């Protein structure tokens, strides 16, 4: 038996397999491997072959495509879900199958060995399954993933949320040059713990250490010739946040969970539209004006 | 009116949640799509949305609004028609 522990956004995973093939992880995961944990473990059992597929037992509830190719399918069974992940290099070939219970606390991952330089190995969390696992765990634990950069400066956590080109990475870079810790410049997972909200990075395709911060302010940036700020109402905050969360909304209860979480965030965390010219003056501007 | 029938038929394909004083409508999706397609309704629009059923008529909706809100002598039938048409157009895009 081989096993290891992983901690992502303070969710603790125990991943184990009886396979004779070594388990490997993609590059971005290495820093998230941790010492043995005992509390609130999410158990993942890994197998080195794909199970027999009995389609009639499962109902297809969601399909995702990438560049017109099948990417993943989600099936629902009585008390379980099944994810089929398709290879993006070999047409219609299944890369992994993952089955998980309704609260996403127990997983079985089936994958076929991949060729490495010197040996064959199994890579259970191979993209995109890793992010899909965080997604389903988040959904069941008052957490959510969002297109945003996140920073912590002088113990104040801020996110800058928006689609590509709106300035979230640029903003993170400017704050970093002024001494801020960047949690991530593109994708953030945030969690509600007690009365507070926290932001985390998750494994990416590049090496990065696990980082987190409390969340105090939310910004929706856009490029502008002059810096300008506008405080948003609760409803405006909610609508903006909803546009940028990562969501596969095939079931009303899942959408309602996300909407309820966003409602609580919109209620508690001040949020602003921020037009900015990309230089260091925006850091002072925000700190002086954010408590409008 | 066709718009009422369409809205009533499409309602189960949406999740509605009151945030502040706005009702947010979000479509359920069975494939990757524009999940940011949210439609927000103010208090009056939300009232109309909640009243619409398969056999609704313009007269019935108008009478309900007149009873609920102080519309005075204003001619609001045109506004109701326009809103119901916009709502039906939005909801028809859901799968």
């Amino acid at each position: 038996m081989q096993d290891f522990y992983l901690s992502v956004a303070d969710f603790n995973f125990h991943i184990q397999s009886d396979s004779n093939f070594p388990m490997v992880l993609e590059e971005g995961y290495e820093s998230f491997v941790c010492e043995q944990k005992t509390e609130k473990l999410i158990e993942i059992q890994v197998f080195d072959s794909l199970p027999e597929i009995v389609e009639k037992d499962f109902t297809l509830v969601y399909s995702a495509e990438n560049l017109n190719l099948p990417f993943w399918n989600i099936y629902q069974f009585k008390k379980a879900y099944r994810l089929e992940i398709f290879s993006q290099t070999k047409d219609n070939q299944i890369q992994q199958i993952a089955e998980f219970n309704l609260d996403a606390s127990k997983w079985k991952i089936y994958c076929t060995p991949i060729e490495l330089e010197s040996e064959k190995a199994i890579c259970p969390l191979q993209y995109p399954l890793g992010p899909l696992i965080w997604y389903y765990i988040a959904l069941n634990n008052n957490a959510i993933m969002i297109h945003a950069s996140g920073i912590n400066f002088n113990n104040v956590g801020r996110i800058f949320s928006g689609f590509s080109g709106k300035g979230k990475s640029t903003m993170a870079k400017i704050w970093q040059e002024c001494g801020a810790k960047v949690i991530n410049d593109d994708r953030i997972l945030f969690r509600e713990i007690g009365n507070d909200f926290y932001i985390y990075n998750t494994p990416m395709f590049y090496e990065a250490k696990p980082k987190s911060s409390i969340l105090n302010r939310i910004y929706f940036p856009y490029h502008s010739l002059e810096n300008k700020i506008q405080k948003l109402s609760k409803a405006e905050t909610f609508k903006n946040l909803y546009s940028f969360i990562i969501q596969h909304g095939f079931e009303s209860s899942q959408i309602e969970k996300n909407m309820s979480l966003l409602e609580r965030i919109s209620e508690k965390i001040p949020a602003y539209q921020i037009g900015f010219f990309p230089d260091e003056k925006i850091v002072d501007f925000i700190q002086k004006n954010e408590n409008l | 009116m066709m718009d009422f029938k369409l809205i009533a038929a499409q309602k189960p394909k949406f999740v509605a949640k009151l945030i502040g004083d706005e009702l947010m409508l979000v479509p359920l999706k069975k494939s990757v799509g524009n999940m940011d397609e949210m439609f927000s309704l103010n208090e009056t629009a939300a009232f109309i949305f909640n009243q619409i059923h398969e056999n609704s008529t313009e007269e019935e909706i108008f009478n309900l609004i007149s009873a609920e809100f102080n519309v005075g002598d204003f001619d609001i039938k045109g506004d109701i028609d326009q809103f119901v048409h916009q709502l039906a157009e939005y909801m028809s895009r859901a799968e």
Side-chain angles (χ1 to χ4, degrees):
Chain A
M1 205 264 281
Q2 50 180 326
D3 70 339
F4 63 91
Y5 292 84
L6 204 62
S7 182
V8 176
D10 285 337
F11 293 117
N12 298 319
F13 298 84
H14 177 217
I15 301 170
Q16 62 94 11
S17 177
D18 290 328
S19 172
N20 292 322
F21 295 106
M23 277 196 287
V24 295
L25 292 167
E26 290 171 325
E27 186 183 354
Y29 286 78
E30 295 299 332
S31 297
F32 290 82
V33 175
C34 62
E35 297 294 310
Q36 182 174 352
K37 302 270 187 183
T38 53
E39 285 183 23
K40 292 185 179 176
L41 282 177
I42 295 155
E43 293 285 350
I44 299 182
Q45 201 175 355
V46 181
F47 302 89
D48 60 13
S49 61
L50 299 178
E52 187 182 342
I53 297 173
V54 187
E55 296 288 357
K56 67 180 176 58
D57 290 342
F58 289 84
T59 306
L60 178 66
V61 290
Y62 191 83
S63 292
E65 290 185 346
N66 184 28
L67 303 174
N68 295 323
L69 288 173
F71 201 12
W72 73 81
N73 289 334
I74 302 173
Y75 296 84
Q76 192 165 15
F77 189 53
K78 287 174 190 166
K79 291 189 175 176
Y81 288 105
R82 185 167 74 193
L83 277 165
E84 279 179 6
I85 313 290
F86 292 92
S87 167
Q88 295 302 288
T89 53
K90 297 169 186 168
D91 280 356
N92 284 325
Q93 188 167 315
I94 292 176
Q95 177 179 292
Q96 297 127 305
I97 287 178
E99 293 175 355
F100 56 102
N101 60 351
L102 293 182
D103 68 2
S105 61
K106 288 185 170 52
W107 292 71
K108 288 180 180 176
I109 296 177
Y110 303 88
C111 50
T112 49
I114 56 172
E115 295 279 356
L116 299 180
E117 280 182 14
S118 58
E119 60 181 352
K120 279 188 168 184
I122 49 176
C123 186
L125 302 181
Q126 187 177 358
Y127 182 83
L129 184 53
L132 285 168
I133 292 174
W134 325 143
Y135 173 79
Y136 281 99
I137 298 225
L139 193 61
N140 286 284
N141 290 279
N142 292 332
I144 210 162
M145 295 178 77
I146 188 164
H147 296 286
S149 61
I151 59 115
N152 182 293
F153 187 62
N154 293 337
N155 297 319
V156 177
R158 299 175 176 89
I159 62 168
F160 301 93
S161 186
F163 291 130
S164 296
K166 290 291 182 186
K168 57 184 191 295
S169 304
T170 306
M171 194 68 96
K173 190 164 178 279
I174 292 170
W175 283 82
Q176 186 173 38
E177 286 166 358
C178 292
K181 174 173 82 170
V182 174
I183 309 302
N184 189 262
D185 70 355
D186 185 56
R187 192 173 65 190
I188 290 290
L189 185 149
F190 55 63
R191 290 187 70 176
E192 181 184 35
I193 301 176
N195 290 322
D196 293 315
F197 291 92
Y198 294 84
I199 54 175
Y200 298 84
N201 65 337
T202 56
M204 303 291 282
F205 59 89
Y206 51 82
E207 179 69 28
K209 292 195 181 312
K211 294 176 196 165
S212 64
S213 165
I214 193 162
L215 175 63
N216 303 99
R217 299 283 185 274
I218 296 168
Y219 288 91
F220 302 103
Y222 62 94
H223 291 287
S224 169
L225 288 176
E226 58 176 344
N227 295 332
K228 45 188 166 184
I229 188 167
Q230 184 192 351
K231 193 166 192 314
L232 299 178
S233 69
K234 179 180 168 183
E236 288 167 335
T237 304
F238 178 91
K239 278 188 272 191
N240 275 283
L241 281 175
Y242 197 89
S243 298
F244 304 129
I245 61 169
I246 296 167
Q247 178 169 253
H248 319 304
F250 57 85
E251 196 177 277
S252 58
S253 66
Q254 295 179 352
I255 291 181
E256 280 165 7
K257 275 185 193 174
N258 284 340
M259 291 175 99
S260 294
L261 179 61
L262 293 187
E263 183 184 16
R264 295 195 294 279
I265 294 172
S266 306
E267 177 79 42
K268 290 180 182 171
I269 309 289
Y272 308 83
Q273 290 276 10
I274 183 81
F276 77 105
F277 187 80
D279 64 25
E280 73 288 348
K281 289 179 188 155
I282 189 63
V283 171
D284 276 345
F285 180 83
I286 282 179
Q287 292 180 98
K288 282 178 184 161
N289 291 283
E290 65 186 353
N291 293 317
L292 297 170
Chain B
M1 186 184 181
M2 287 307 291
D3 285 342
F4 289 134
K5 281 194 191 304
L6 189 147
I7 291 168
Q10 293 291 89
K11 272 187 180 181
K13 298 178 183 173
F14 288 80
V15 178
K17 188 165 184 65
L18 192 64
I19 305 290
D21 53 7
E22 292 184 44
L23 186 72
M24 310 291 179
L25 287 186
V26 175
L28 289 163
K29 292 276 184 178
K30 289 202 170 182
S31 63
V32 168
N34 295 321
M35 284 311 301
D36 56 337
E37 285 177 3
M38 177 179 283
F39 200 80
S40 66
L41 311 178
N42 65 19
E43 186 188 0
T44 317
F47 177 81
I48 296 172
F49 173 78
N50 286 326
Q51 299 302 325
I52 289 174
H53 56 82
E54 192 185 2
N55 299 315
S56 291
T57 63
E58 288 175 47
E59 196 64 26
E60 176 196 354
I61 296 295
F62 172 74
N63 289 337
L64 285 167
I65 292 175
S66 299
E68 183 75 15
F69 301 98
N70 180 19
V71 296
D73 296 329
F74 292 107
D75 181 8
I76 57 167
K77 284 187 176 171
D79 292 339
I80 296 173
D81 273 354
Q82 192 181 358
F83 163 69
V84 169
H85 189 65
Q86 278 177 358
L87 182 62
E89 202 172 83
Y90 164 73
M91 294 182 79
S92 69
R93 296 204 297 264
E95 290 180 13

